[in-house]
Amino acid sequence: MTQIVLSRSEVAEQYMFDVSNIFPSLEAWKNAISGVSEQLPELARFEGHLGDSPAILADWFAASESVLSSANKIYIYAQLLHDVDTA
């Protein structure tokens, strides 16, 4: 059985993956990268202090989760943007 593969321009938009649900533009994605880069020094203040108290450890978890969540979103967008058209 021969299968015809349509080019991206021939596929109806409703069947295309829409990465704009993650970031509305490449510029927004780049801004998110800058934001994570700016947050990283905040995590450094916890170095050597995670065992000082439960409150400091909880603060680190909150701060690191925010950075990791943003970094994951950045990674997923980049991966899916690549996968949008691999032809």
Side-chain angles (χ1 to χ4, degrees):
M1 175 191 271
T2 303
Q3 184 177 4
I4 298 172
V5 178
L6 302 175
S7 69
R8 184 164 174 81
S9 62
E10 297 172 313
V11 175
E13 191 171 325
Q14 70 188 37
Y15 299 114
M16 292 183 190
F17 189 78
D18 183 11
V19 295
S20 69
N21 292 325
I22 302 170
F23 287 107
S25 67
L26 205 52
E27 188 65 30
W29 176 72
K30 290 177 183 179
N31 289 338
I33 293 170
S34 296
V36 167
S37 296
E38 292 169 6
Q39 288 178 308
L40 291 177
E42 182 181 326
L43 295 180
R45 72 182 174 95
F46 293 102
E47 187 174 354
H49 299 287
L50 294 179
D52 291 354
S53 74
I56 291 175
L57 183 60
D59 289 345
W60 178 83
F61 276 121
S64 66
E65 180 156 345
S66 173
V67 173
L68 287 173
S69 176
S70 296
N72 283 333
K73 188 175 175 183
I74 289 165
Y75 168 76
I76 289 168
Y77 178 84
Q79 184 65 48
L80 293 177
L81 187 63
H82 167 73
D83 292 343
V84 164
D85 188 2
T86 59

